[in-house]
Amino acid sequence: MNLKELARTLGLSQTTVSRALNGYPEVAEATRARVLEAARRYNYVPNARARGLATGRSMAIAHVLPISDSHELVNPVFTDFIAGASEIYLRHGYDMVLKLVADDEQERTYREIAARGTADGIIVHAPHTGDPRIALLHELRLPFVVHGRASRGRDDDYSWVDINNLRAFAHATDFLLDLGHRRIGLINGLVSMDFARRREEGFRQALGARGIAPDETLITSGEMTESYGYRTARAFLERERPATAILCSSMIIAIGVRRAIHELGLEMGRDVSVITHDDELSYLRNAGEVPMFTATRSSVRMAGRLCAEMLIESIANPDAPPRHRLLDAALTVGASTGPAPAD
């Protein structure tokens, strides 16, 4: 079914149907809902080339990912984010443009996208503290949404979707302190990443509120891999006074921590407590009546949907003010935590 046939079926003009499908604000919500429902019922898929000619848009969203020796962004978290965002792209007739570039080629790539019009908007991933991409995209006047935030700037002058990382890790630390733990390790992501800086801040704030000075030798930062979690946990647990609890910034890290605990003949939840952040990855479920890990949970797939919806609305309404969505992470108690063991 094409646009003309869909409009005739609904008894509406092609212009009204097109505007309803493209999210124009002047279309009544009841009409928009009716059009979207009919599009689903009749399996209507807009012709991207025709829509581009009619609207002057490329009908594509770009994701520019730096590939370097220091960090890797094409990972399971990104995969689930894209799965969520793609649901929204498909619903609105958008394609996705994925560009993998060297760190020092990012600015050139963004400028090329703007100059050639190959994308109508961009989602910015893994923002650094004071990320220069924010100012660049403002300069290029390209609509964009940041997955996360870039501190040391104004969080209110661009659109973003983020987890309340500080609150999540403060809450997790409080939970461990309430169980009697005092030697708590933090196996964090790269501290140049904004989320990792906020998580460390939450960890430190919770300790400070109880009058406990953090042990700096139990705070680490690195690429979030299983081997990083394993190596760091071994170091934490083979000390003369080992850590009794470990906070992890990802499920991938936590899997490595669990391996280290078992190799040392210890039991997770009895000898060592572990809390991890859980992005609710589709293939790495922390599920069950009693989950394996106590975790701060927030779906990265949902974040992908929210970023995509926010960006498409921004493309349709370029004069609208920036929007912000701060998601809370729920602390779910699993089998990996218990009272601190007696010294």
Side-chain angles (χ1 to χ4, degrees):
M1 176 174 283
N2 59 33
L3 180 65
K4 183 177 180 180
E5 292 167 339
L6 180 63
R8 185 170 61 244
T9 299
L10 288 165
L12 298 170
S13 70
Q14 292 184 54
T15 300
T16 298
V17 172
S18 176
R19 287 178 174 271
L21 292 169
N22 286 306
Y24 282 82
E26 60 267 27
V27 178
E29 283 305 315
T31 301
R32 189 191 319 280
R34 183 178 163 221
V35 170
L36 291 174
E37 195 282 326
R40 285 191 291 270
R41 186 190 324 137
Y42 296 113
N43 198 29
Y44 170 74
V45 178
N47 182 296
R49 179 174 295 180
R51 288 181 63 183
L53 291 172
T55 63
R57 298 175 186 162
S58 66
M59 301 309 299
I61 303 296
H63 297 256
V64 179
L65 299 183
I67 301 298
S68 71
D69 294 332
S70 62
H71 60 275
E72 179 62 73
L73 290 183
V74 182
N75 55 35
V77 174
F78 174 74
T79 302
D80 261 35
F81 179 94
I82 288 298
S86 295
E87 295 174 21
I88 308 304
Y89 298 159
L90 181 62
R91 185 183 307 165
H92 291 273
Y94 275 84
D95 291 325
M96 183 182 76
V97 175
L98 178 61
K99 290 186 174 291
L100 306 180
V101 301
D103 279 338
D104 58 2
E105 292 181 356
Q106 288 187 82
E107 179 175 347
R108 178 183 61 80
T109 302
Y110 282 122
R111 292 189 181 279
E112 285 183 356
I113 290 170
R116 297 177 180 176
T118 50
D120 298 320
I122 289 176
I123 290 182
V124 177
H125 295 274
H128 293 255
T129 301
D131 200 307
R133 291 175 292 178
I134 306 300
L136 174 62
L137 288 166
H138 277 314
E139 174 197 333
L140 297 174
R141 301 183 66 81
L142 268 172
F144 69 96
V145 170
V146 180
H147 179 212
R149 282 175 286 173
S151 300
R152 294 183 187 163
R154 288 180 51 198
D155 285 351
D156 62 347
D157 71 347
Y158 59 91
S159 294
W160 51 261
V161 174
D162 197 10
I163 302 167
N164 196 329
N165 288 291
L166 188 153
R167 183 186 298 172
F169 270 53
H171 189 189
T173 306
D174 280 332
F175 183 83
L176 291 170
L177 291 169
D178 288 343
L179 288 171
H181 295 278
R182 294 297 180 266
R183 294 193 302 277
I184 304 172
L186 172 64
I187 307 182
N188 204 359
L190 294 164
V191 289
S192 59
M193 300 295 186
D194 190 83
F195 78 86
R197 185 192 63 77
R198 292 178 190 271
R199 289 177 183 179
E200 182 177 330
E201 186 177 346
F203 173 71
R204 290 180 180 276
Q205 282 187 11
L207 291 175
R210 306 280 185 108
I212 300 170
D215 182 342
E216 299 298 333
T217 64
L218 289 177
I219 300 174
T220 66
S221 167
E223 186 69 31
M224 296 192 295
T225 63
E226 191 273 351
S227 59
Y228 164 56
Y230 170 77
R231 291 192 311 270
T232 307
R234 291 277 314 211
F236 284 179
L237 297 173
E238 291 178 319
R239 297 156 48 114
E240 184 177 348
R241 286 175 58 78
T244 64
I246 299 174
L247 258 176
C248 306
S249 259
S250 79
M251 281 283 290
I252 307 294
I253 291 174
I255 296 297
V257 170
R258 184 184 64 165
R259 176 161 68 98
I261 291 170
H262 288 176
E263 279 190 9
L264 291 170
L266 303 172
E267 183 177 330
M268 187 170 69
R270 184 193 66 191
D271 303 306
V272 185
S273 287
V274 178
I275 297 181
T276 184
H277 180 70
D278 178 11
D279 288 295
E280 296 187 358
L281 301 178
S282 57
Y283 81 100
L284 194 60
R285 294 287 186 186
N286 184 34
E289 187 174 337
V290 179
M292 179 184 300
F293 290 105
T294 296
T296 57
R297 282 183 169 173
S298 183
S299 168
V300 72
R301 185 175 290 233
M302 175 60 72
R305 295 188 193 105
L306 292 171
C307 283
E309 288 173 347
M310 194 177 286
L311 182 54
I312 289 171
E313 288 174 8
S314 179
I315 292 167
N317 304 284
D319 296 325
R323 295 177 57 199
H324 314 118
R325 185 73 180 270
L326 187 60
L327 307 173
D328 275 318
L331 182 66
T332 303
V333 179
S336 64
T337 49
D343 285 330

